[in-house]
Amino acid sequence: MKAYTTRRRLLGLATFATAGALVLSGCAGDVEPTASEKPSQSDSELKPSESLTIYTGRDKDEVAWVVSEFEKEHPEYAGKVTTVIAGAQENLDRMRAEAGNPQAGFLWGGTQQQFEQAADEDLLAAYEPKNGDAVDDKYKDPDGRWIAEMLLPEVIIYNSDLLDEKSAPQDWADLADPEWKDKIVIRDVMPSGTMRTIYASMVYSAFEKDGKPDAGYDLLKKIDANTVSYAATPDDMYTQLDQGTGQVTVWNMQDALIQPLKNNRPWDYIMPKSGAPVLVDGVAVIKNEKQQAAGQAFMDFLMEPKMQAKLAADYYQIPAMEIPEADQPDWMKDFELNEMKIDWAVFAENQDQWMTYWADNIKDKG
């Protein structure tokens, strides 16, 4: 099934399912435990935290709805949850700066590479959520410091008022064609875990062939030459794509599906012919004794299968955990993904170097 056809089907199936969510979404020790010693809610008698601060890069309306539902189920935290919405890399950098005096209790969203970095830097607390066994071991830290919540394919998005399925770029390499000069708008790469992964995946595709990043850098130079704007935030990028400042962008499939419904954006997407890099998007309890109980409670709430099924239905998330078929939305049963094959160990080893090279030698030089 073609991605375009699938999307049309998804939009039709989702209109009524999403409506209910959209009405709600406007509300706004020194020794690390071993895997066998990881704490769980059942063996942890923690007093409720006074408050909870969540660092997240998720859609603000989704965040507001989930937090409101959490506060209903946990009235002890009603009015005590604060959310800070920023790019995944910005959230990681903030946690590093606050390591001596942590200000948040939960990290919601970010790439596997970023969570591994946070774990290695001792910023995350080990905690296995109640339903953690429903997530495959390959999607979580062996010491329980983070776990994947969803899988996030990255795609090419275009303004459907200005382009159609046939005229839009069909693959990553097409973005380098002179046809797209001053027609591409990009969310600024370095603060964004999503964009770092997309751009690094283009370099990886070259690197895996001959062990050199040069062809990937060349591709990114050509895309830079075609880029009319590097938007400071996702919302800025959305607006510029809506207004036609740029006709094309690269971003995650979840937003490509939900934004046209939620905000009536003129968007459609292309599943790249060479494959979409699929991010493992994680969650974790931040190492902060003052908010430990709240962070664990929120983790259990968020990773409950019924909640994950609801987020799949209303926000097009692909859950990292197994969801019973009876609870799966129709679009999950029909969806087909063309996944880019990536050795994530090699990717993680080289990503920072590749992206630093991009920032120092390619950005704004095309």
Side-chain angles (χ1 to χ4, degrees):
M1 181 185 298
K2 293 177 64 178
Y4 178 78
T5 303
T6 301
R7 182 187 188 282
R8 290 298 183 200
R9 218 171 148 187
L10 302 190
L11 289 177
L13 290 168
T15 301
F16 296 105
T18 306
L22 300 185
V23 171
L24 291 169
S25 66
C27 310
D30 293 331
V31 180
E32 194 71 53
T34 65
S36 62
E37 296 170 336
K38 288 181 291 188
S40 65
Q41 191 71 23
S42 60
D43 60 21
S44 179
E45 300 298 331
L46 296 172
K47 294 181 180 179
S49 307
E50 292 185 3
S51 63
L52 174 63
T53 296
I54 300 170
Y55 289 164
T56 181
R58 295 293 174 82
D59 175 85
K60 61 179 180 294
D61 292 333
E62 176 185 0
V63 170
W65 180 75
V66 172
V67 168
S68 71
E69 294 299 299
F70 171 71
E71 291 182 350
K72 290 176 187 176
E73 186 164 312
H74 292 272
E76 67 271 27
Y77 294 116
K80 298 178 181 179
V81 180
T82 299
T83 58
V84 177
I85 298 178
Q89 188 64 39
E90 293 173 284
N91 286 328
L92 176 56
D93 291 341
R94 180 182 286 109
M95 289 167 57
R96 287 167 167 160
E98 296 170 352
N101 184 25
Q103 299 298 302
F106 196 78
L107 180 60
W108 183 7
T111 68
Q112 177 175 340
Q113 293 75 30
Q114 289 166 327
F115 275 85
E116 288 174 346
Q117 289 173 348
D120 289 345
E121 295 172 29
D122 200 30
L123 300 174
L124 306 179
Y127 182 68
E128 178 83 10
K130 289 180 179 179
N131 293 288
D133 57 357
V135 179
D136 193 289
D137 287 345
K138 68 182 180 181
Y139 294 141
K140 52 187 172 184
D141 178 60
D143 295 322
R145 295 167 296 181
W146 62 268
I147 190 168
E149 185 203 0
M150 70 174 180
L151 307 181
L152 202 59
E154 310 304 325
V155 297
I156 297 168
I157 302 176
Y158 61 91
N159 183 316
S160 55
D161 286 343
L162 304 174
L163 301 169
D164 58 26
E165 179 192 12
K166 293 183 179 180
S167 62
Q170 302 296 302
D171 208 351
W172 307 111
D174 295 343
L175 298 168
D177 194 297
E179 173 186 0
W180 303 107
K181 177 71 174 177
D182 292 335
K183 295 180 182 178
I184 299 175
V185 57
I186 295 293
R187 157 64 165 127
D188 196 12
V189 175
M190 297 307 283
S192 168
T194 296
M195 287 306 309
R196 283 177 175 234
T197 299
I198 294 174
Y199 269 36
S201 71
M202 297 188 207
V203 181
Y204 175 85
S205 293
F207 185 83
E208 69 164 345
K209 294 175 182 177
D210 61 8
K212 298 178 181 179
D214 300 28
Y217 291 155
D218 185 59
L219 174 59
L220 292 181
K221 287 176 184 176
K222 293 175 180 176
I223 295 175
D224 176 75
N226 288 342
T227 299
V228 66
S229 173
Y230 289 101
T233 68
D235 283 338
D236 288 344
M237 183 265 283
Y238 300 165
T239 299
Q240 292 184 45
L241 186 63
D242 293 346
Q243 296 175 343
T245 300
Q247 298 180 12
V248 176
T249 193
V250 294
W251 198 240
N252 67 74
M253 192 190 77
Q254 181 188 21
D255 268 350
L257 291 168
I258 197 67
Q259 288 294 333
L261 287 170
K262 186 180 73 173
N263 294 315
N264 198 32
R265 300 188 188 278
W267 292 10
D268 213 325
Y269 82 92
I270 298 291
M271 183 69 69
K273 288 183 177 180
S274 63
V278 179
L279 290 180
V280 172
D281 203 77
V283 294
V285 175
I286 296 173
K287 206 166 193 179
N288 179 355
E289 291 185 3
K290 294 179 180 178
Q291 298 187 28
Q292 184 177 354
Q296 292 180 0
F298 190 80
M299 170 83 87
D300 286 336
F301 175 80
L302 184 63
M303 297 299 290
E304 204 283 323
K306 293 286 187 182
M307 172 56 72
Q308 287 298 304
K310 179 69 172 172
L311 293 175
D314 293 347
Y315 292 95
Y316 296 103
Q317 292 191 182
I318 302 177
M321 66 167 47
E322 285 190 40
I323 300 296
E325 188 172 352
D327 295 332
Q328 293 177 10
D330 289 337
W331 75 264
M332 274 187 64
K333 299 171 184 177
D334 296 334
F335 177 69
E336 293 182 12
L337 172 64
N338 180 25
E339 182 174 0
M340 180 185 290
K341 300 298 184 285
I342 294 176
D343 183 329
W344 290 105
V346 174
F347 189 96
E349 183 180 352
N350 292 280
Q351 180 183 4
D352 285 348
Q353 178 184 341
W354 293 339
M355 291 298 91
T356 298
Y357 184 92
W358 177 85
D360 293 343
N361 300 282
I362 297 175
K363 183 185 178 184
D364 292 327
K365 294 178 173 65

